[in-house]
Amino acid sequence: MKAVKTSIPGTRQPRRPRLAVAKFASCDGCQLTLLNLEDELLAVGDALEVTYFPEASSRMRGGPYDIALVEGSISMPEHARQLAELRKQARVLITIGACATAGGIQALRNWADLESYKRAVYPTPAYIQSLRTSTPISEHVSVDFELWGCPIDKQQLLRVLTDVLAGVQPFLPAHSVCLDCKRQGHPCVLVAKGLPCLGPVTRTGCGAICPGMGRDCYGCFGPVEGASPGPGIPPNTASLSDHFSSQFHLIPVELVRRFRGINGYLRPFREESHAWESSNKDSDAHR
Amino acid sequence: MTNAIPQILPKSGFPRLIEALRAHHYRIVGPVVRDGALHWDEIAGVEDLPIGWQDTQQPGQYRLERTETTTWFGIVHGPDSIKRLTFVPREPLLTIERKAKKVTVTPQMPEPTPTALLGVRACDVAGLLVHDRIFLQGRYADPYYQVRRDALLVIAVNCTRAHKTCFCASMGTGPRAQSGYDLALTEFEDEFLVSVGSEKGREIIELLELPSASPAYQRQEQERIDACAASQVRGLQEQHRLPQGLYEVHEHPRWETVAHRCLACANCTMVCPTCFCHTVEDHPDLSHTRNERVRLWDSCFTPQHGMIHGKNFRPTIADRYRMWLTHKLASWIDQFGVSGCVGCGRCLTWCPVGIDLTEELHALMRENVDQATP
């Protein structure tokens, strides 16, 4: 990770690193996580100069930026150009949230016919400038660090900012949600209730909120160990979905939906949903 | 001490035991039903115990149900072993503060309340003794574990009922608590047989002035415990061939087979009474002037665990499962002089996909015998 220690040009006097918060196709919830750091917000303001953050202030200044937090997926033709420009201006670029990191819920259209969506939603579809797919930031520019979740966790955001300011590689664990459930003493909803919980294949970060409330995890922090694991490396989505199928009697279409959610476009979840979609077609053919 | 004649404590007289514990300044933690599972929690009295409840366990499944019985300790166990009280999931170790150019390090020693732990199963007592070897022996005793351990009074309950995932009998750790307890109870319909296991336990029980159990009563107790052992359907019959037997199957194809099922989710290691892997994290504040260092439960199934110099030397699930099983059942013996498995069966029950450690060992070792036979 590049250090962001900065000084005022021509002097040794330190200046605060400049922060930009930008968004593409998204709901703004991850940016709000930054504003929701109520107890720490003044410290964030002391540590960083908020230079560009339309969600928070109409005073928007240009780059270069020391840190850019990027929310949202690339969904419109101008997004890609804007993103390329932002990348040039940003020393450290960090994606925040499932849209920027995985393509988001709007990536469901990657499996659908965009034109039919446009016609169904808009009275004049011709006005809609939209790419056929919604894709994560990392498919377009190099990304220095990715924050997962829908929305992101504010403590994780704070940790990453703290580490970047110190000039060290940000530290975030990449284990399963299960570890958090067990540390916190939540009874396992999969084993004790028979719910199709995605916790075993989902990345930590949320604090195990859903299982803590007796609900099954739906994978909003994405696949454990990231988007591109090698062969034999977690997440083992095939084993978990086989268990849901054989023991909990989920049918293929339910398994497709289980994995095709907020992070459904990321390879491990995408491939799992494809596997059950084709098995669904096979069973249709048998009938 | 353990050879002393057990005494009879009527259930109606149980509040007197609780009073005696309170008189010795213990808070009482016992098994409590919450959200469909058994947990350790502070209890006010007998009424908080899971009277009439039973558990059914099988690989990958746990259910509680209320029965017609009035058994107090009918649930064998829940996901939590007693390590939650001694080797806690999150232990603040120290804080580091920087003011001007001065750095101050302040240890954060826990100050646990003396706790009488009521209803500890033989497997968990055995697990505690394994942890004592790990944390307290040798040159460097762990002070955090030590103070929590010293605050514990262990009141065991011998098992008279096993479920499908229990295999303590084959590990020699149960169903009767062997040692390491202060008091041990065996439940009957209307009373408990109480055995004394330590001086601390004797001091408590002497206050109650209980009658001794007749030899016939003691035989009846043994028969119930023996029946529990006999009812266990699983076991580690290959125990006598360990540790060497597992070292010889390092390249066995079974590791890949089990890796197709294993989620590397770490549940087995979290519920295991002896797994002690932990990570130490620094939690600095934004101004880099204050840092809290904490110890957290970790697992050999996490990606960080095998990370050295930016590279993971146990990248695949097969690598990690082999690491876990080989350490648990084999190299643990070399390291600590005892198996890392106490036969509680939690790793079977709480595995989301029901992987059975005993079945995996059978498969690894049976096929090895076949290979060795000309």
Side-chain angles (χ1 to χ4, degrees):
Chain A
M1 181 62 57
K2 287 164 272 187
V4 293
K5 292 216 183 301
T6 48
S7 56
I8 293 169
T11 73
R12 288 199 172 177
Q13 198 183 337
R15 66 162 174 82
R16 287 175 300 163
R18 291 157 60 91
L19 175 74
V21 185
K23 71 158 262 163
F24 296 99
S26 56
C27 79
D28 292 30
C30 293
Q31 298 177 71
L32 284 177
T33 305
L34 181 60
L35 293 173
N36 285 344
L37 282 168
E38 287 164 11
D39 294 338
E40 300 88 359
L41 205 52
L42 293 175
V44 172
D46 284 343
L48 290 161
E49 182 191 345
V50 181
T51 313
Y52 177 89
F53 190 2
E55 175 84 27
S57 169
S58 50
R59 186 167 162 237
M60 294 174 265
R61 286 167 287 165
Y65 310 110
D66 296 297
I67 302 172
L69 301 177
V70 181
E71 182 194 84
S73 69
I74 299 307
S75 180
M76 294 167 68
E78 71 247 41
H79 282 166
R81 288 191 297 276
Q82 290 164 350
L83 176 62
E85 181 56 29
L86 180 66
R87 176 67 269 193
K88 276 187 215 155
Q89 296 292 329
R91 291 169 69 180
V92 174
L93 189 146
I94 299 166
T95 61
I96 53 169
C99 298
T101 304
I105 193 71
Q106 60 272 29
L108 287 177
R109 78 154 175 266
N110 301 358
W111 285 276
D113 172 22
L114 177 65
E115 295 309 315
S116 72
Y117 273 26
K118 281 191 200 170
R119 282 196 300 276
V121 176
Y122 298 101
T124 315
Y127 292 154
I128 303 303
Q129 299 288 309
S130 203
L131 296 170
R132 204 193 63 75
T133 57
S134 163
T135 44
I137 299 299
S138 62
E139 285 201 11
H140 303 269
V141 296
S142 74
V143 172
D144 296 297
F145 202 77
E146 293 179 317
L147 268 172
W148 302 76
C150 181
I152 55 168
D153 174 74
K154 62 182 187 179
Q155 291 307 325
Q156 286 205 335
L157 174 64
L158 200 61
R159 179 63 197 252
V160 167
L161 291 176
T162 303
D163 288 351
V164 170
L165 286 170
V168 300
Q169 179 71 31
F171 169 77
L172 289 181
H175 55 69
S176 72
V177 172
C178 301
L179 216 79
D180 299 312
C181 273
K182 289 295 185 286
R183 283 174 180 167
Q184 293 175 39
H186 300 323
C188 178
V189 297
L190 197 162
V191 170
K193 285 185 175 176
L195 296 178
C197 180
L198 289 185
V201 295
T202 299
R203 190 185 186 92
T204 179
C206 61
I209 303 169
C210 294
M213 294 290 167
R215 297 284 301 270
D216 42 325
C217 167
Y218 56 90
C220 78
F221 267 67
V224 65
E225 297 184 39
S228 309
I233 294 174
N236 191 348
T237 52
S239 171
L240 188 64
S241 56
D242 281 346
H243 188 76
F244 292 166
S245 167
S246 66
Q247 303 299 308
F248 300 167
H249 310 295
L250 264 62
I251 58 173
V253 67
E254 291 173 313
L255 288 158
V256 171
R257 287 175 187 158
R258 203 88 269 257
F259 286 96
R260 199 169 288 176
I262 292 161
N263 290 289
Y265 189 60
L266 280 187
R267 205 187 82 204
F269 288 179
R270 184 174 71 213
E271 288 179 355
E272 196 55 38
S273 74
H274 284 171
W276 288 99
E277 198 164 49
S278 53
S279 88
N280 204 19
K281 280 176 192 140
D282 292 347
S283 56
D284 285 349
H286 286 305
R287 282 188 223 121
Chain B
M1 259 182 298
T2 47
N3 295 328
I5 296 170
Q7 299 167 32
I8 297 173
L9 172 65
K11 284 185 175 175
S12 58
F14 208 85
R16 290 179 59 219
L17 173 61
I18 290 179
E19 281 164 31
L21 292 167
R22 294 247 161 80
H24 279 75
H25 307 292
Y26 287 107
R27 68 163 182 157
I28 300 158
V29 169
V32 173
V33 169
R34 174 166 51 85
D35 299 332
L38 197 71
H39 301 270
W40 295 109
D41 213 339
E42 189 159 354
I43 59 168
V46 169
E47 64 278 6
D48 289 339
L49 292 172
I51 297 171
W53 288 84
Q54 273 192 3
D55 53 343
T56 51
Q57 300 193 31
Q58 60 187 38
Q61 194 181 308
Y62 182 92
R63 293 289 184 274
L64 293 184
E65 57 173 353
R66 224 184 239 288
T67 65
E68 296 298 307
T69 69
T70 53
T71 314
W72 290 16
F73 295 97
I75 301 176
V76 176
H77 53 44
D80 270 324
S81 72
I82 59 175
K83 80 176 176 187
R84 179 169 292 277
L85 286 100
T86 45
F87 169 60
V88 297
R90 185 184 191 282
E91 182 85 85
L93 299 177
L94 47 88
T95 55
I96 305 169
E97 278 174 291
R98 189 178 60 192
K99 270 189 189 140
K101 286 187 176 172
K102 193 172 181 291
V103 174
T104 316
V105 179
T106 314
Q108 301 278 96
M109 287 308 292
E111 291 172 4
T113 312
T115 298
L117 203 49
L118 173 64
V120 184
R121 298 297 174 172
C123 50
D124 279 353
V125 180
L128 186 67
L129 296 181
V130 172
H131 266 192
D132 285 352
R133 285 171 182 252
I134 294 163
F135 287 112
L136 300 181
Q137 288 183 11
R139 288 174 67 187
Y140 303 105
D142 184 281
Y144 302 90
Y145 179 88
Q146 178 92 64
V147 295
R148 294 188 184 281
R149 178 72 170 93
D150 289 346
L152 273 197
L153 182 90
V154 176
I155 305 176
V157 170
N158 297 316
C159 287
T160 50
R161 180 177 159 262
H163 48 70
K164 285 179 184 166
T165 51
C166 289
F167 56 99
C168 62
S170 80
M171 301 309 293
T173 54
R176 183 195 280 280
Q178 310 289 315
S179 64
Y181 58 85
D182 297 294
L183 293 171
L185 311 175
T186 305
E187 184 170 3
F188 284 74
E189 282 67 28
D190 298 314
E191 62 275 313
F192 291 96
L193 244 60
V194 188
S195 304
V196 172
S198 76
E199 203 49 51
K200 275 201 290 187
R202 180 187 305 282
E203 282 170 20
I204 303 271
I205 213 70
E206 269 175 0
L207 297 176
L208 306 185
E209 296 179 335
L210 300 172
S212 295
S214 66
Y217 222 134
Q218 294 176 50
R219 267 199 306 281
Q220 216 185 330
E221 180 199 31
Q222 192 57 48
E223 281 165 11
R224 289 184 179 214
I225 293 170
D226 288 347
C228 173
S231 73
Q232 296 186 6
V233 295
R234 284 183 162 82
L236 277 193
Q237 284 80 19
E238 300 84 354
Q239 180 63 22
H240 65 282
R241 288 167 51 208
L242 297 172
Q244 196 53 39
L246 257 182
Y247 298 153
E248 289 164 6
V249 293
H250 208 64
E251 304 299 332
H252 200 290
R254 183 73 185 193
W255 300 116
E256 288 297 334
T257 315
V258 68
H260 280 113
R261 295 180 64 206
C262 176
L263 305 168
C265 62
N267 275 302
C268 49
T269 58
M270 296 290 107
V271 297
C272 177
T274 72
C275 273
F276 61 95
C277 277
H278 51 267
T279 182
V280 175
E281 289 185 359
D282 277 330
H283 295 161
D285 74 350
L286 199 58
S287 62
H288 303 129
T289 53
R290 191 175 187 280
N291 178 43
E292 189 186 30
R293 183 165 294 175
V294 295
R295 176 164 80 188
L296 297 162
W297 281 0
D298 198 10
S299 167
C300 51
F301 285 96
T302 68
Q304 296 90 345
H305 196 276
M307 200 68 88
I308 300 264
H309 284 277
K311 198 78 183 163
N312 194 337
F313 66 93
R314 278 195 299 276
T316 67
I317 298 175
D319 295 333
R320 297 182 204 177
Y321 191 88
R322 182 173 64 186
M323 164 73 202
W324 176 65
L325 197 77
T326 308
H327 187 215
K328 180 81 22 199
L329 300 180
S331 51
W332 205 293
I333 299 172
D334 293 331
Q335 201 178 358
F336 303 113
V338 63
S339 176
C341 179
V342 294
C344 71
R346 283 191 181 90
C347 62
L348 285 68
T349 299
W350 297 97
C351 174
V353 293
I355 295 173
D356 177 348
L357 165 142
T358 66
E359 186 187 326
E360 294 311 311
L361 188 72
H362 296 329
L364 285 157
M365 304 281 276
R366 180 180 58 235
E367 290 167 33
N368 189 42
V369 169
D370 294 346
Q371 284 166 2
T373 313

